[in-house]
PDB file of all heavy atoms in Angstrom:
ATOM      1  N   ALA A   1       0.815  -1.216   0.010  1.00 98.00           N
ATOM      2  CA  ALA A   1       0.011   0.020   0.004  1.00 98.00           C
ATOM      3  C   ALA A   1       0.845   1.253   0.000  1.00 98.00           C
ATOM      4  O   ALA A   1       1.927   1.309   0.660  1.00 98.00           O
ATOM      5  CB  ALA A   1      -0.924   0.013   1.214  1.00 98.00           C
ATOM      6  N   VAL A   2       0.424   2.274  -0.746  1.00 97.00           N
ATOM      7  CA  VAL A   2       1.024   3.585  -0.759  1.00 97.00           C
ATOM      8  C   VAL A   2      -0.078   4.602  -0.600  1.00 97.00           C
ATOM      9  O   VAL A   2      -1.110   4.500  -1.264  1.00 97.00           O
ATOM     10  CB  VAL A   2       1.816   3.832  -2.067  1.00 97.00           C
ATOM     11  CG1 VAL A   2       2.485   5.208  -2.033  1.00 97.00           C
ATOM     12  CG2 VAL A   2       2.827   2.746  -2.344  1.00 97.00           C
ATOM     13  N   ASN A   3       0.104   5.541   0.327  1.00 97.00           N
ATOM     14  CA  ASN A   3      -0.974   6.520   0.645  1.00 97.00           C
ATOM     15  C   ASN A   3      -2.238   5.813   1.030  1.00 97.00           C
ATOM     16  O   ASN A   3      -3.363   6.186   0.670  1.00 97.00           O
ATOM     17  CB  ASN A   3      -1.221   7.460  -0.542  1.00 97.00           C
ATOM     18  CG  ASN A   3      -0.014   8.327  -0.838  1.00 97.00           C
ATOM     19  OD1 ASN A   3       0.677   8.776   0.087  1.00 97.00           O
ATOM     20  ND2 ASN A   3       0.256   8.509  -2.110  1.00 97.00           N
ATOM     21  N   LYS A   4      -2.077   4.689   1.731  1.00 97.00           N
ATOM     22  CA  LYS A   4      -3.184   3.846   2.256  1.00 97.00           C
ATOM     23  C   LYS A   4      -3.995   3.169   1.174  1.00 97.00           C
ATOM     24  O   LYS A   4      -5.053   2.579   1.448  1.00 97.00           O
ATOM     25  CB  LYS A   4      -4.102   4.669   3.189  1.00 97.00           C
ATOM     26  CG  LYS A   4      -3.425   5.265   4.410  1.00 97.00           C
ATOM     27  CD  LYS A   4      -4.426   5.886   5.352  1.00 97.00           C
ATOM     28  CE  LYS A   4      -3.806   6.478   6.590  1.00 97.00           C
ATOM     29  NZ  LYS A   4      -3.098   7.717   6.333  1.00 97.00           N
ATOM     30  N   GLU A   5      -3.528   3.202  -0.072  1.00 97.00           N
ATOM     31  CA  GLU A   5      -4.203   2.514  -1.194  1.00 97.00           C
ATOM     32  C   GLU A   5      -3.362   1.332  -1.629  1.00 97.00           C
ATOM     33  O   GLU A   5      -2.132   1.454  -1.776  1.00 97.00           O
ATOM     34  CB  GLU A   5      -4.403   3.466  -2.366  1.00 97.00           C
ATOM     35  CG  GLU A   5      -5.359   4.619  -2.110  1.00 97.00           C
ATOM     36  CD  GLU A   5      -6.829   4.138  -2.033  1.00 97.00           C
ATOM     37  OE1 GLU A   5      -7.169   3.201  -2.758  1.00 97.00           O
ATOM     38  OE2 GLU A   5      -7.587   4.710  -1.231  1.00 97.00           O
ATOM     39  N   ILE A   6      -4.013   0.187  -1.857  1.00 97.00           N
ATOM     40  CA  ILE A   6      -3.292  -1.027  -2.239  1.00 97.00           C
ATOM     41  C   ILE A   6      -2.836  -0.916  -3.693  1.00 97.00           C
ATOM     42  O   ILE A   6      -3.683  -0.763  -4.593  1.00 97.00           O
ATOM     43  CB  ILE A   6      -4.117  -2.294  -2.040  1.00 97.00           C
ATOM     44  CG1 ILE A   6      -4.626  -2.377  -0.570  1.00 97.00           C
ATOM     45  CG2 ILE A   6      -3.284  -3.542  -2.387  1.00 97.00           C
ATOM     46  CD1 ILE A   6      -5.655  -3.471  -0.357  1.00 97.00           C
ATOM     47  N   GLU A   7      -1.541  -0.931  -3.922  1.00 97.00           N
ATOM     48  CA  GLU A   7      -0.984  -0.852  -5.278  1.00 97.00           C
ATOM     49  C   GLU A   7      -0.913  -2.231  -5.947  1.00 97.00           C
ATOM     50  O   GLU A   7      -1.115  -2.343  -7.150  1.00 97.00           O
ATOM     51  CB  GLU A   7       0.439  -0.243  -5.231  1.00 97.00           C
ATOM     52  CG  GLU A   7       0.437   1.242  -5.004  1.00 97.00           C
ATOM     53  CD  GLU A   7      -0.066   2.037  -6.219  1.00 97.00           C
ATOM     54  OE1 GLU A   7       0.066   1.523  -7.339  1.00 97.00           O
ATOM     55  OE2 GLU A   7      -0.614   3.147  -6.012  1.00 97.00           O
ATOM     56  N   PHE A   8      -0.579  -3.259  -5.198  1.00 98.00           N
ATOM     57  CA  PHE A   8      -0.586  -4.598  -5.745  1.00 98.00           C
ATOM     58  C   PHE A   8      -0.753  -5.639  -4.667  1.00 98.00           C
ATOM     59  O   PHE A   8      -0.572  -5.374  -3.486  1.00 98.00           O
ATOM     60  CB  PHE A   8       0.695  -4.870  -6.570  1.00 98.00           C
ATOM     61  CG  PHE A   8       1.981  -4.888  -5.801  1.00 98.00           C
ATOM     62  CD1 PHE A   8       2.375  -5.964  -4.993  1.00 98.00           C
ATOM     63  CD2 PHE A   8       2.877  -3.823  -5.911  1.00 98.00           C
ATOM     64  CE1 PHE A   8       3.585  -5.962  -4.299  1.00 98.00           C
ATOM     65  CE2 PHE A   8       4.080  -3.805  -5.208  1.00 98.00           C
ATOM     66  CZ  PHE A   8       4.446  -4.886  -4.410  1.00 98.00           C
ATOM     67  N   GLY A   9      -1.183  -6.824  -5.093  1.00 98.00           N
ATOM     68  CA  GLY A   9      -1.366  -7.954  -4.202  1.00 98.00           C
ATOM     69  C   GLY A   9      -0.804  -9.209  -4.808  1.00 98.00           C
ATOM     70  O   GLY A   9      -0.866  -9.391  -6.023  1.00 98.00           O
ATOM     71  N   ILE A  10      -0.200 -10.013  -3.956  1.00 98.00           N
ATOM     72  CA  ILE A  10       0.342 -11.300  -4.354  1.00 98.00           C
ATOM     73  C   ILE A  10      -0.122 -12.370  -3.362  1.00 98.00           C
ATOM     74  O   ILE A  10       0.048 -12.201  -2.141  1.00 98.00           O
ATOM     75  CB  ILE A  10       1.905 -11.276  -4.389  1.00 98.00           C
ATOM     76  CG1 ILE A  10       2.369 -10.241  -5.425  1.00 98.00           C
ATOM     77  CG2 ILE A  10       2.470 -12.670  -4.687  1.00 98.00           C
ATOM     78  CD1 ILE A  10       3.861  -9.917  -5.308  1.00 98.00           C
ATOM     79  N   VAL A  11      -0.703 -13.435  -3.850  1.00 98.00           N
ATOM     80  CA  VAL A  11      -1.124 -14.548  -3.002  1.00 98.00           C
ATOM     81  C   VAL A  11      -0.581 -15.830  -3.671  1.00 98.00           C
ATOM     82  O   VAL A  11      -0.913 -16.111  -4.838  1.00 98.00           O
ATOM     83  CB  VAL A  11      -2.648 -14.626  -2.869  1.00 98.00           C
ATOM     84  CG1 VAL A  11      -3.056 -15.915  -2.106  1.00 98.00           C
ATOM     85  CG2 VAL A  11      -3.201 -13.400  -2.137  1.00 98.00           C
ATOM     86  N   TYR A  12       0.205 -16.579  -2.918  1.00 98.00           N
ATOM     87  CA  TYR A  12       0.739 -17.829  -3.464  1.00 98.00           C
ATOM     88  C   TYR A  12       0.155 -18.999  -2.696  1.00 98.00           C
ATOM     89  O   TYR A  12       0.472 -19.218  -1.548  1.00 98.00           O
ATOM     90  CB  TYR A  12       2.274 -17.825  -3.362  1.00 98.00           C
ATOM     91  CG  TYR A  12       2.956 -19.027  -3.994  1.00 98.00           C
ATOM     92  CD1 TYR A  12       2.401 -19.711  -5.051  1.00 98.00           C
ATOM     93  CD2 TYR A  12       4.158 -19.471  -3.494  1.00 98.00           C
ATOM     94  CE1 TYR A  12       3.019 -20.785  -5.621  1.00 98.00           C
ATOM     95  CE2 TYR A  12       4.813 -20.562  -4.068  1.00 98.00           C
ATOM     96  CZ  TYR A  12       4.245 -21.214  -5.128  1.00 98.00           C
ATOM     97  OH  TYR A  12       4.871 -22.296  -5.695  1.00 98.00           O
ATOM     98  N   SER A  13      -0.774 -19.688  -3.345  1.00 98.00           N
ATOM     99  CA  SER A  13      -1.342 -20.919  -2.759  1.00 98.00           C
ATOM    100  C   SER A  13      -0.344 -22.028  -3.025  1.00 98.00           C
ATOM    101  O   SER A  13      -0.337 -22.635  -4.119  1.00 98.00           O
ATOM    102  CB  SER A  13      -2.722 -21.233  -3.378  1.00 98.00           C
ATOM    103  OG  SER A  13      -3.317 -22.350  -2.772  1.00 98.00           O
ATOM    104  N   CYS A  14       0.569 -22.209  -2.088  1.00 97.00           N
ATOM    105  CA  CYS A  14       1.824 -22.913  -2.390  1.00 97.00           C
ATOM    106  C   CYS A  14       1.691 -24.439  -2.537  1.00 97.00           C
ATOM    107  O   CYS A  14       2.518 -25.041  -3.197  1.00 97.00           O
ATOM    108  CB  CYS A  14       2.923 -22.526  -1.399  1.00 97.00           C
ATOM    109  SG  CYS A  14       2.451 -22.654   0.325  1.00 97.00           S
ATOM    110  N   ILE A  15       0.688 -25.058  -1.929  1.00 97.00           N
ATOM    111  CA  ILE A  15       0.511 -26.489  -2.090  1.00 97.00           C
ATOM    112  C   ILE A  15      -0.095 -26.746  -3.520  1.00 97.00           C
ATOM    113  O   ILE A  15       0.313 -27.680  -4.215  1.00 97.00           O
ATOM    114  CB  ILE A  15      -0.333 -27.119  -1.008  1.00 97.00           C
ATOM    115  CG1 ILE A  15       0.364 -26.916   0.365  1.00 97.00           C
ATOM    116  CG2 ILE A  15      -0.566 -28.621  -1.233  1.00 97.00           C
ATOM    117  CD1 ILE A  15      -0.443 -27.352   1.565  1.00 97.00           C
ATOM    118  N   GLU A  16      -1.024 -25.906  -3.903  1.00 97.00           N
ATOM    119  CA  GLU A  16      -1.577 -25.986  -5.243  1.00 97.00           C
ATOM    120  C   GLU A  16      -0.608 -25.485  -6.312  1.00 97.00           C
ATOM    121  O   GLU A  16      -0.827 -25.724  -7.495  1.00 97.00           O
ATOM    122  CB  GLU A  16      -2.847 -25.113  -5.348  1.00 97.00           C
ATOM    123  CG  GLU A  16      -3.996 -25.475  -4.451  1.00 97.00           C
ATOM    124  CD  GLU A  16      -5.169 -24.547  -4.705  1.00 97.00           C
ATOM    125  OE1 GLU A  16      -5.134 -23.390  -4.244  1.00 97.00           O
ATOM    126  OE2 GLU A  16      -6.095 -24.965  -5.427  1.00 97.00           O
ATOM    127  N   ASP A  17       0.398 -24.729  -5.888  1.00 98.00           N
ATOM    128  CA  ASP A  17       1.340 -24.049  -6.788  1.00 98.00           C
ATOM    129  C   ASP A  17       0.588 -23.100  -7.734  1.00 98.00           C
ATOM    130  O   ASP A  17       0.796 -23.080  -8.948  1.00 98.00           O
ATOM    131  CB  ASP A  17       2.187 -25.078  -7.601  1.00 98.00           C
ATOM    132  CG  ASP A  17       3.382 -24.414  -8.303  1.00 98.00           C
ATOM    133  OD1 ASP A  17       3.826 -23.352  -7.824  1.00 98.00           O
ATOM    134  OD2 ASP A  17       3.854 -24.955  -9.303  1.00 98.00           O
ATOM    135  N   LYS A  18      -0.277 -22.273  -7.105  1.00 98.00           N
ATOM    136  CA  LYS A  18      -0.981 -21.241  -7.861  1.00 98.00           C
ATOM    137  C   LYS A  18      -0.545 -19.874  -7.345  1.00 98.00           C
ATOM    138  O   LYS A  18      -0.750 -19.546  -6.154  1.00 98.00           O
ATOM    139  CB  LYS A  18      -2.516 -21.398  -7.700  1.00 98.00           C
ATOM    140  CG  LYS A  18      -3.041 -22.610  -8.441  1.00 98.00           C
ATOM    141  CD  LYS A  18      -4.567 -22.690  -8.324  1.00 98.00           C
ATOM    142  CE  LYS A  18      -5.101 -23.878  -9.114  1.00 98.00           C
ATOM    143  NZ  LYS A  18      -6.589 -23.977  -9.011  1.00 98.00           N
ATOM    144  N   LEU A  19       0.062 -19.071  -8.224  1.00 98.00           N
ATOM    145  CA  LEU A  19       0.530 -17.737  -7.878  1.00 98.00           C
ATOM    146  C   LEU A  19      -0.433 -16.719  -8.445  1.00 98.00           C
ATOM    147  O   LEU A  19      -0.504 -16.534  -9.662  1.00 98.00           O
ATOM    148  CB  LEU A  19       1.949 -17.531  -8.405  1.00 98.00           C
ATOM    149  CG  LEU A  19       2.547 -16.165  -8.094  1.00 98.00           C
ATOM    150  CD1 LEU A  19       2.874 -16.051  -6.579  1.00 98.00           C
ATOM    151  CD2 LEU A  19       3.791 -15.926  -8.952  1.00 98.00           C
ATOM    152  N   TYR A  20      -1.191 -16.063  -7.563  1.00 98.00           N
ATOM    153  CA  TYR A  20      -2.133 -15.017  -7.957  1.00 98.00           C
ATOM    154  C   TYR A  20      -1.448 -13.655  -7.809  1.00 98.00           C
ATOM    155  O   TYR A  20      -0.866 -13.371  -6.746  1.00 98.00           O
ATOM    156  CB  TYR A  20      -3.379 -15.088  -7.092  1.00 98.00           C
ATOM    157  CG  TYR A  20      -4.171 -16.334  -7.195  1.00 98.00           C
ATOM    158  CD1 TYR A  20      -3.948 -17.417  -6.355  1.00 98.00           C
ATOM    159  CD2 TYR A  20      -5.205 -16.475  -8.139  1.00 98.00           C
ATOM    160  CE1 TYR A  20      -4.716 -18.583  -6.445  1.00 98.00           C
ATOM    161  CE2 TYR A  20      -5.969 -17.623  -8.227  1.00 98.00           C
ATOM    162  CZ  TYR A  20      -5.718 -18.668  -7.380  1.00 98.00           C
ATOM    163  OH  TYR A  20      -6.447 -19.825  -7.458  1.00 98.00           O
ATOM    164  N   THR A  21      -1.593 -12.800  -8.814  1.00 98.00           N
ATOM    165  CA  THR A  21      -0.981 -11.484  -8.777  1.00 98.00           C
ATOM    166  C   THR A  21      -1.933 -10.458  -9.337  1.00 98.00           C
ATOM    167  O   THR A  21      -2.733 -10.752 -10.227  1.00 98.00           O
ATOM    168  CB  THR A  21       0.336 -11.443  -9.590  1.00 98.00           C
ATOM    169  OG1 THR A  21       0.044 -11.839 -10.915  1.00 98.00           O
ATOM    170  CG2 THR A  21       1.390 -12.364  -9.004  1.00 98.00           C
ATOM    171  N   ALA A  22      -1.840  -9.232  -8.813  1.00 98.00           N
ATOM    172  CA  ALA A  22      -2.645  -8.121  -9.374  1.00 98.00           C
ATOM    173  C   ALA A  22      -1.959  -6.813  -9.100  1.00 98.00           C
ATOM    174  O   ALA A  22      -1.492  -6.556  -7.958  1.00 98.00           O
ATOM    175  CB  ALA A  22      -4.027  -8.111  -8.762  1.00 98.00           C
ATOM    176  N   ARG A  23      -1.864  -5.977 -10.091  1.00 98.00           N
ATOM    177  CA  ARG A  23      -1.351  -4.600  -9.989  1.00 98.00           C
ATOM    178  C   ARG A  23      -2.473  -3.658 -10.308  1.00 98.00           C
ATOM    179  O   ARG A  23      -3.209  -3.888 -11.281  1.00 98.00           O
ATOM    180  CB  ARG A  23      -0.175  -4.455 -10.948  1.00 98.00           C
ATOM    181  CG  ARG A  23       0.404  -3.045 -11.011  1.00 98.00           C
ATOM    182  CD  ARG A  23       1.276  -2.727  -9.820  1.00 98.00           C
ATOM    183  NE  ARG A  23       1.352  -1.292  -9.603  1.00 98.00           N
ATOM    184  CZ  ARG A  23       2.124  -0.468 -10.275  1.00 98.00           C
ATOM    185  NH1 ARG A  23       2.914  -0.952 -11.211  1.00 98.00           N
ATOM    186  NH2 ARG A  23       2.121   0.811 -10.001  1.00 98.00           N
ATOM    187  N   LYS A  24      -2.606  -2.605  -9.540  1.00 97.00           N
ATOM    188  CA  LYS A  24      -3.702  -1.651  -9.714  1.00 97.00           C
ATOM    189  C   LYS A  24      -3.767  -1.168 -11.149  1.00 97.00           C
ATOM    190  O   LYS A  24      -2.798  -0.627 -11.666  1.00 97.00           O
ATOM    191  CB  LYS A  24      -3.550  -0.472  -8.727  1.00 97.00           C
ATOM    192  CG  LYS A  24      -4.771   0.432  -8.705  1.00 97.00           C
ATOM    193  CD  LYS A  24      -4.776   1.341  -7.511  1.00 97.00           C
ATOM    194  CE  LYS A  24      -3.773   2.455  -7.624  1.00 97.00           C
ATOM    195  NZ  LYS A  24      -3.883   3.413  -6.507  1.00 97.00           N
ATOM    196  N   GLY A  25      -4.955  -1.380 -11.790  1.00 96.00           N
ATOM    197  CA  GLY A  25      -5.137  -0.911 -13.142  1.00 96.00           C
ATOM    198  C   GLY A  25      -4.634  -1.837 -14.220  1.00 96.00           C
ATOM    199  O   GLY A  25      -4.776  -1.512 -15.413  1.00 96.00           O
ATOM    200  N   LYS A  26      -4.051  -2.985 -13.836  1.00 97.00           N
ATOM    201  CA  LYS A  26      -3.420  -3.821 -14.861  1.00 97.00           C
ATOM    202  C   LYS A  26      -3.935  -5.258 -14.874  1.00 97.00           C
ATOM    203  O   LYS A  26      -3.372  -6.145 -15.523  1.00 97.00           O
ATOM    204  CB  LYS A  26      -1.890  -3.818 -14.650  1.00 97.00           C
ATOM    205  CG  LYS A  26      -1.303  -2.453 -14.897  1.00 97.00           C
ATOM    206  CD  LYS A  26       0.206  -2.488 -14.933  1.00 97.00           C
ATOM    207  CE  LYS A  26       0.780  -1.109 -15.295  1.00 97.00           C
ATOM    208  NZ  LYS A  26       2.243  -1.117 -15.283  1.00 97.00           N
ATOM    209  N   GLY A  27      -5.039  -5.550 -14.142  1.00 98.00           N
ATOM    210  CA  GLY A  27      -5.644  -6.867 -14.185  1.00 98.00           C
ATOM    211  C   GLY A  27      -5.111  -7.822 -13.171  1.00 98.00           C
ATOM    212  O   GLY A  27      -4.147  -7.563 -12.457  1.00 98.00           O
ATOM    213  N   ALA A  28      -5.752  -8.997 -13.123  1.00 98.00           N
ATOM    214  CA  ALA A  28      -5.381 -10.039 -12.164  1.00 98.00           C
ATOM    215  C   ALA A  28      -5.025 -11.296 -12.948  1.00 98.00           C
ATOM    216  O   ALA A  28      -5.588 -11.586 -14.005  1.00 98.00           O
ATOM    217  CB  ALA A  28      -6.522 -10.331 -11.202  1.00 98.00           C
ATOM    218  N   PHE A  29      -4.085 -12.073 -12.341  1.00 98.00           N
ATOM    219  CA  PHE A  29      -3.548 -13.246 -13.018  1.00 98.00           C
ATOM    220  C   PHE A  29      -3.336 -14.399 -12.043  1.00 98.00           C
ATOM    221  O   PHE A  29      -3.098 -14.195 -10.882  1.00 98.00           O
ATOM    222  CB  PHE A  29      -2.198 -12.915 -13.708  1.00 98.00           C
ATOM    223  CG  PHE A  29      -2.308 -11.791 -14.707  1.00 98.00           C
ATOM    224  CD1 PHE A  29      -2.253 -10.444 -14.313  1.00 98.00           C
ATOM    225  CD2 PHE A  29      -2.493 -12.060 -16.049  1.00 98.00           C
ATOM    226  CE1 PHE A  29      -2.386  -9.413 -15.224  1.00 98.00           C
ATOM    227  CE2 PHE A  29      -2.633 -11.053 -16.982  1.00 98.00           C
ATOM    228  CZ  PHE A  29      -2.577  -9.702 -16.565  1.00 98.00           C
ATOM    229  N   CYS A  30      -3.438 -15.607 -12.605  1.00 98.00           N
ATOM    230  CA  CYS A  30      -3.050 -16.820 -11.881  1.00 98.00           C
ATOM    231  C   CYS A  30      -2.024 -17.536 -12.719  1.00 98.00           C
ATOM    232  O   CYS A  30      -2.346 -17.979 -13.852  1.00 98.00           O
ATOM    233  CB  CYS A  30      -4.247 -17.696 -11.592  1.00 98.00           C
ATOM    234  SG  CYS A  30      -3.802 -19.241 -10.747  1.00 98.00           S
ATOM    235  N   ASN A  31      -0.828 -17.691 -12.191  1.00 98.00           N
ATOM    236  CA  ASN A  31       0.301 -18.291 -12.953  1.00 98.00           C
ATOM    237  C   ASN A  31       0.437 -17.648 -14.317  1.00 98.00           C
ATOM    238  O   ASN A  31       0.689 -18.307 -15.314  1.00 98.00           O
ATOM    239  CB  ASN A  31       0.099 -19.825 -13.064  1.00 98.00           C
ATOM    240  CG  ASN A  31       0.255 -20.518 -11.726  1.00 98.00           C
ATOM    241  OD1 ASN A  31       0.754 -19.930 -10.778  1.00 98.00           O
ATOM    242  ND2 ASN A  31      -0.191 -21.757 -11.653  1.00 98.00           N
ATOM    243  N   GLY A  32       0.238 -16.327 -14.348  1.00 98.00           N
ATOM    244  CA  GLY A  32       0.451 -15.557 -15.575  1.00 98.00           C
ATOM    245  C   GLY A  32      -0.742 -15.513 -16.507  1.00 98.00           C
ATOM    246  O   GLY A  32      -0.678 -14.823 -17.532  1.00 98.00           O
ATOM    247  N   VAL A  33      -1.805 -16.239 -16.227  1.00 98.00           N
ATOM    248  CA  VAL A  33      -2.981 -16.270 -17.077  1.00 98.00           C
ATOM    249  C   VAL A  33      -4.054 -15.338 -16.478  1.00 98.00           C
ATOM    250  O   VAL A  33      -4.377 -15.407 -15.275  1.00 98.00           O
ATOM    251  CB  VAL A  33      -3.559 -17.699 -17.199  1.00 98.00           C
ATOM    252  CG1 VAL A  33      -4.796 -17.719 -18.063  1.00 98.00           C
ATOM    253  CG2 VAL A  33      -2.473 -18.637 -17.793  1.00 98.00           C
ATOM    254  N   SER A  34      -4.647 -14.476 -17.306  1.00 98.00           N
ATOM    255  CA  SER A  34      -5.641 -13.511 -16.850  1.00 98.00           C
ATOM    256  C   SER A  34      -6.843 -14.260 -16.217  1.00 98.00           C
ATOM    257  O   SER A  34      -7.304 -15.266 -16.729  1.00 98.00           O
ATOM    258  CB  SER A  34      -6.126 -12.691 -18.008  1.00 98.00           C
ATOM    259  OG  SER A  34      -7.115 -11.774 -17.620  1.00 98.00           O
ATOM    260  N   ILE A  35      -7.319 -13.701 -15.095  1.00 98.00           N
ATOM    261  CA  ILE A  35      -8.490 -14.285 -14.428  1.00 98.00           C
ATOM    262  C   ILE A  35      -9.584 -13.214 -14.258  1.00 98.00           C
ATOM    263  O   ILE A  35      -9.311 -12.013 -14.189  1.00 98.00           O
ATOM    264  CB  ILE A  35      -8.155 -14.889 -13.052  1.00 98.00           C
ATOM    265  CG1 ILE A  35      -7.496 -13.874 -12.105  1.00 98.00           C
ATOM    266  CG2 ILE A  35      -7.296 -16.141 -13.210  1.00 98.00           C
ATOM    267  CD1 ILE A  35      -7.279 -14.349 -10.701  1.00 98.00           C
ATOM    268  N   LYS A  36     -10.826 -13.684 -14.214  1.00 98.00           N
ATOM    269  CA  LYS A  36     -12.001 -12.818 -14.064  1.00 98.00           C
ATOM    270  C   LYS A  36     -12.976 -13.451 -13.096  1.00 98.00           C
ATOM    271  O   LYS A  36     -13.079 -14.664 -12.990  1.00 98.00           O
ATOM    272  CB  LYS A  36     -12.703 -12.586 -15.410  1.00 98.00           C
ATOM    273  CG  LYS A  36     -11.892 -11.812 -16.430  1.00 98.00           C
ATOM    274  CD  LYS A  36     -11.817 -10.345 -16.071  1.00 98.00           C
ATOM    275  CE  LYS A  36     -11.042  -9.542 -17.105  1.00 98.00           C
ATOM    276  NZ  LYS A  36     -10.762  -8.161 -16.634  1.00 98.00           N
TER     277      LYS A  36
END
């Protein structure tokens, strides 16, 4: 977070080996594939 706003989030479900990522304004991904 910057200025109390979340800029990005990363969640790694490590037993499933699923890496979820999201950057503000740039979409969300799981292992590099866009998710909705």
